[in-house]
Amino acid sequence: MSSSNKLIESFGNKLTKELKDSIPRASGKSSDSVNIEFTREKDRLTGFKIKGEESVEALRYGRRKTPNGASAGDPTLRTAILGWIKSKGIRPDGNMTLNSLAYLIARKIHKRGFKKNAKVANVFDNIKTKSFRQALQRSEWEGEKDRIIKAFNL
């Protein structure tokens, strides 16, 4: 395996692990959904894509309020929140049901959205600026540095 392949594979795997570790745990479904797909040209790795459920993207970027006339998702936000409530073992006070609590949380998110999770969002910036750049500075990557910087928009 070439040195650039090793670097791309190492960077992709490290970024994937850091992202999985940064996701807050409830059921583990969001973290478990994160996976990496490497792209190739012949025997050369040319990059990778990290994929996961929509909830991972919402943690990274936040979620804007729901625009008027938007169609319901599948599952609906309320259904997803109900699953989260059950996974966390949250029990509402008084006579409120789990469905009512899920409805209230979903309604607030629909109206206001929510901010990104800084821990998840920072995974990309921290690794991109620290580990990867440090690896590129080592002389063993010198011949591949320009191509890799261009490929990852560093």
Side-chain angles (χ1 to χ4, degrees), residues 122-138:
N122 287 339
V123 165
F124 292 90
D125 294 335
N126 289 342
I127 288 188
K128 198 171 179 180
T129 58
K130 269 185 167 174
S131 307
F132 200 54
R133 282 193 177 265
Q134 287 171 358
L136 286 174
Q137 298 308 315
R138 294 189 301 232

Side-chain angles (χ1 to χ4, degrees), residues 99-118:
N99 281 324
S100 296
L101 180 59
Y103 170 79
L104 293 171
I105 293 170
R107 183 177 70 179
K108 184 167 185 175
I109 291 172
H110 280 304
K111 285 183 176 181
R112 296 187 181 175
F114 61 83
K115 293 183 179 182
K116 66 184 176 184
N117 179 301

